[in-house]
Amino acid sequence: MPKPPEPPGARRHRIEACPEGVRAALGAIMAELGAGGLGDGARRDAEIVLAEVLTNIARHAYGGTGGPVRLALRVRGDGLAQCSVIDWGRAMPGGVLPAGTMPDPLGRPEGGFGWPLIRLLAAGVAYDRLGRRNRLRLRLRVA
Amino acid sequence: MNITVRQEGAALVARFDEARLDAAVAIQFKDRMREIAAGSPDRVILDLSRVEFLDSSGLGAVIAVMKMLGPERRLELAALGPAVERVVRLTRMDTVFTIHAEAP
């Protein structure tokens, strides 16, 4: 498969799209972000965003059967971390990002929080599909 | 995955003993809480003092447990750490759950 474009100077992670793989990846990435000097609040939000992104890939792009994910992360000098996440699963429905409206809490929803949380907590998110791969580009706040 | 259960007055207190309540344990958590809830009193308090990370799957499981208890029994939350509180507030589920600063 062709090498996908990644932010220059990024730390790369190869992730298995399953709940245990997501846990392992978050552990490694959070350790790296700690070393990069991110404050507690920013780290907390970044972990939520990445957890939701990776869990969605495992559940929806790969339908729970597992598959590879490549994540590249670079902490920039301007208070943001730049992240790209690539998988070879199913495309986003309609080829676009989900709207991300928070479900009504009074309806006692058991799901549908993932994309609203990503949209609330990420400084930016973009999606594209090229051939068989999905790419998400995320900007995460450092402070 | 372990949940420690104790009776506190008229309430049952269930403490989730892991650092992460996430997609990796959501189903186990729901299954174990279903066993715990069988024959529980009207008030069940979920002690989250040990939890350092909650994702939307974990939150969904907590909401599923609340619904499992039915209209006649209540699920309340206690001892939310900063990361747990963040997710509960952003999803506005703090408007649905009674939340205690500390577990009884």
Side-chain angles (χ1 to χ4, degrees):
Chain A
M1 60 188 71
K3 190 170 158 40
E6 287 174 346
R11 298 286 297 265
R12 291 173 175 78
H13 297 265
R14 302 161 72 89
I15 301 162
E16 176 60 24
C18 64
E20 291 304 331
V22 171
R23 265 196 185 186
L26 290 173
I29 294 164
M30 287 306 114
E32 201 176 291
L33 286 180
L38 252 70
D40 278 351
R43 270 165 51 89
R44 196 148 63 220
D45 289 354
E47 184 166 14
I48 295 167
V49 170
L50 294 176
E52 300 301 337
V53 162
L54 294 172
T55 299
N56 273 333
I57 291 171
R59 195 172 287 161
H60 301 298
Y62 286 120
T65 58
V69 178
R70 299 287 180 272
L71 185 149
L73 183 75
R74 184 169 68 95
V75 178
R76 308 194 310 200
D78 61 355
L80 292 169
Q82 189 179 348
C83 181
S84 78
V85 187
I86 289 163
D87 69 74
W88 290 264
R90 284 194 290 272
M92 289 279 182
V96 295
L97 289 175
T101 308
M102 195 65 83
D104 181 357
L106 295 178
R108 274 96 170 129
E110 290 177 40
F113 300 116
W115 272 101
L117 284 171
I118 294 165
R119 288 194 179 273
L120 275 174
L121 296 175
V125 54
Y127 167 74
D128 58 21
R129 182 159 175 104
L130 189 66
R132 291 177 52 242
R133 69 136 177 80
N134 296 307
R135 179 175 64 167
L136 282 175
R137 281 172 297 165
L138 296 157
R139 276 180 300 141
L140 304 170
R141 284 181 199 89
V142 175
Chain B
M1 191 214 69
N2 194 53
I3 300 172
T4 304
V5 181
R6 67 177 197 279
Q7 191 80 27
E8 198 70 52
L12 185 136
V13 182
R15 188 185 65 205
F16 185 73
D17 287 335
E18 316 288 323
R20 302 181 75 85
L21 181 42
D22 62 7
V25 293
I27 291 169
Q28 268 183 285
F29 167 77
K30 267 193 281 192
D31 289 348
R32 182 78 186 97
M33 285 301 292
R34 184 175 291 116
E35 293 166 16
I36 289 167
S40 78
D42 289 352
R43 208 172 150 218
V44 178
I45 300 171
L46 181 62
D47 174 355
L48 294 171
S49 57
R50 301 272 173 99
V51 180
E52 294 165 13
F53 183 76
L54 174 77
D55 71 2
S56 68
S57 305
L59 178 66
V62 172
I63 294 162
V65 170
M66 173 181 64
K67 288 155 79 171
M68 198 169 72
L69 289 173
E72 69 283 354
R73 290 182 294 174
R74 287 211 316 268
L75 181 69
E76 302 174 5
L77 307 182
L80 276 51
V84 174
E85 189 174 4
R86 184 100 171 115
V87 170
V88 169
R89 284 202 190 288
L90 288 172
T91 57
R92 294 185 289 140
M93 290 310 297
D94 57 331
T95 62
V96 169
F97 285 106
T98 298
I99 296 172
H100 307 278
E102 288 172 26

